[in-house]
Amino acid sequence: EEITITVISDNLDLQVKPDTIAGCVPLDITFTNTTSDTDEIVYKWSVDKPQTQWEYVQGSETEKSPVFNFNKEDVYKVSLEAKNKCNTKYLDFEIQTYDEVHFALDALPVVCGEYTFDASSAQEGLHVTGTQSNIKSINWVVYKSTDNTNGNYQVAPSETYEFTAGDINTLFPIIKIKEWGYYKIELQAQTICNDETISTTIEIEEPIVITITKPDPLCANIPDEYNQNPYTLIVEPTDGVWSWASTVPQDEQDFLDANNKIFYPNKPGTYNLKYSVQRKACYAEDFLEIIVKDYPTLDIGTDIYVCEKDQTPVLLEAMPNDGVWEGNEVSFDGNRSEEH
């Protein structure tokens, strides 16, 4: 009878190498094993994380050269136990995986005059999904529309905005836009796994400046023969609304024709009007005081007769006494007159 005696090497020389030890998920890694098979080696692979985070794409835990898939960002320890009848050896491999980082900017409201963009704001800011340490670079750019519409953007002049916190390379800066117009705020981001460029727009309305022309005192109760016209309210800009500044009696409410911007001086008194302008975001108001006086009733007395060549001044009396006398061939000195 014969028996075979196999001499197994006591030196278990493992030759195992992964094709990469870091990458972005989902990540496939092949562990190439070139160890000689003459020693009847038994392999057992294991990973220190739950199998919900990884799986075998090729082979199993006893595969000589398995392929793993890693689907979640983490640091993994992949272990190999290899043994033959004489020896057992262990190898550990550290695998680093990374997720993509994604960015989103909120839609911004229409505002008046100026706007401060705070990237850390939960409602009007930047939102980052993923591990921020995976971000390699950040660059913010502010653009301004060349025609004050939501388009035709060029890099905004430096005097139109400033960084009040952080700078163009800060993830969550604060940017103050100081002039009205249409702007685009853009983020250019590079990460380990992906690059993204995103933007949001903001409309900043021009503040409203109201200019009201105040009339001289108006007159009420003018006789019909003078055919007095109502007063047209003069104001810039013209797209606002006239209203009473406070509550007025019922019989005075129709003195103001707000639709046609006309005021009727039907009754002596002091009237206070309000003019307001509302745009998308900007609002302004101003007030106008209109003074209406009663049409005066004149009493100049009776006719006066004087002798020709009489140089004695004649006292002219009238009520009210704040008027002005006019006449032919007569000179006036206050309420005194001299005939020529």
Side-chain angles (χ1 to χ4, degrees):
E1 294 184 4
E2 294 181 354
I3 63 170
T4 301
I5 298 175
T6 303
V7 179
I8 300 174
S9 172
D10 213 20
N11 181 21
L12 186 54
D13 185 19
L14 295 177
Q15 301 293 324
V16 181
K17 184 179 180 180
D19 56 6
T20 186
I21 58 171
C24 301
V25 296
L27 176 64
D28 288 349
I29 297 180
T30 299
F31 287 82
T32 302
N33 189 345
T34 59
T35 305
S36 172
D37 290 331
T38 59
D39 292 338
E40 298 181 0
I41 303 171
V42 176
Y43 298 99
K44 184 176 182 180
W45 293 88
S46 62
V47 181
D48 67 338
K49 295 295 188 293
Q51 199 161 351
T52 55
Q53 297 182 210
W54 64 274
E55 64 179 341
Y56 290 100
V57 177
Q58 178 179 308
S60 64
E61 64 176 5
T62 60
E63 180 75 21
K64 179 180 180 180
S65 298
V67 179
F68 290 85
N69 172 267
F70 301 92
N71 58 54
K72 184 177 180 181
E73 178 176 355
D74 212 330
V75 178
Y76 297 84
K77 184 174 76 172
V78 178
S79 300
L80 171 63
E81 178 187 271
K83 62 181 179 180
N84 58 20
K85 295 186 184 319
C86 297
N87 201 357
T88 301
K89 279 196 173 182
Y90 300 92
L91 291 178
D92 290 326
F93 304 89
E94 184 175 281
I95 305 297
Q96 172 74 65
T97 59
Y98 304 95
D99 273 330
E100 291 187 348
V101 183
H102 297 287
F103 305 84
L105 286 167
D106 289 314
L108 301 179
V110 180
V111 297
C112 184
E114 62 181 30
Y115 179 71
T116 298
F117 171 75
D118 184 350
S120 65
S121 168
Q123 289 77 38
E124 299 174 17
L126 169 67
H127 304 276
V128 181
T129 304
T131 305
Q132 293 184 18
S133 60
N134 293 350
I135 300 171
K136 295 167 61 178
S137 69
I138 290 292
N139 186 52
W140 290 95
V141 184
V142 179
Y143 299 90
K144 185 178 183 182
S145 172
T146 58
D147 56 5
N148 288 322
T149 63
N150 193 11
N152 300 319
Y153 289 102
Q154 292 185 358
V155 175
S158 59
E159 64 270 17
T160 63
Y161 70 96
E162 64 178 331
F163 285 82
T164 58
D167 56 29
I168 62 172
N169 303 126
T170 302
L171 183 58
F172 294 104
I174 297 177
I175 307 172
K176 181 179 181 181
I177 302 177
K178 300 181 286 186
E179 295 184 5
W180 63 274
Y182 284 83
Y183 291 83
K184 179 169 70 172
I185 300 173
E186 182 178 273
L187 171 65
Q188 302 164 353
Q190 290 184 321
T191 78
I192 293 174
C193 295
N194 61 301
D195 297 340
E196 286 191 357
T197 297
I198 59 171
S199 64
T200 187
T201 57
I202 176 84
E203 178 185 353
I204 304 176
E205 288 187 331
E206 181 180 10
I208 302 166
V209 178
I210 296 175
T211 303
I212 298 176
T213 300
K214 183 174 181 177
D216 293 330
L218 305 178
C219 231
N221 302 317
I222 294 179
D224 293 342
E225 61 264 27
Y226 291 104
N227 192 27
Q228 181 195 27
N229 292 319
Y231 176 72
T232 299
L233 299 164
I234 302 172
V235 65
E236 288 290 339
T238 59
D239 58 338
V241 177
W242 285 99
S243 63
W244 292 105
S246 58
T247 303
V248 297
Q250 184 70 31
D251 62 343
E252 297 179 4
Q253 290 183 5
D254 60 358
F255 291 2
L256 173 63
D257 182 352
N259 292 332
N260 295 307
K261 300 178 173 58
I262 290 174
F263 180 80
Y264 294 92
N266 294 341
K267 180 180 176 182
T270 299
Y271 301 90
N272 293 296
L273 307 181
K274 181 175 77 172
Y275 188 72
S276 57
V277 181
Q278 177 70 67
R279 303 274 165 77
K280 294 178 186 177
C282 287
Y283 174 82
E285 63 182 29
D286 201 356
F287 297 87
L288 173 65
E289 180 182 79
I290 296 179
I291 298 174
V292 179
K293 295 184 176 181
D294 201 359
Y295 185 80
T297 299
L298 296 179
D299 182 2
I300 60 174
T302 59
D303 293 340
I304 300 174
Y305 296 90
V306 297
C307 295
E308 188 178 4
K309 307 302 183 182
D310 186 349
Q311 297 299 312
T312 303
V314 176
L315 178 63
L316 300 175
E317 296 181 311
M319 291 298 293
N321 60 11
D322 58 346
V324 177
W325 288 95
E326 295 179 357
N328 296 326
E329 298 184 358
V330 177
S331 63
F332 295 92
D333 177 14
N335 278 340
R336 301 172 61 88
S337 69
E338 295 182 359
E339 182 179 354
H340 298 279

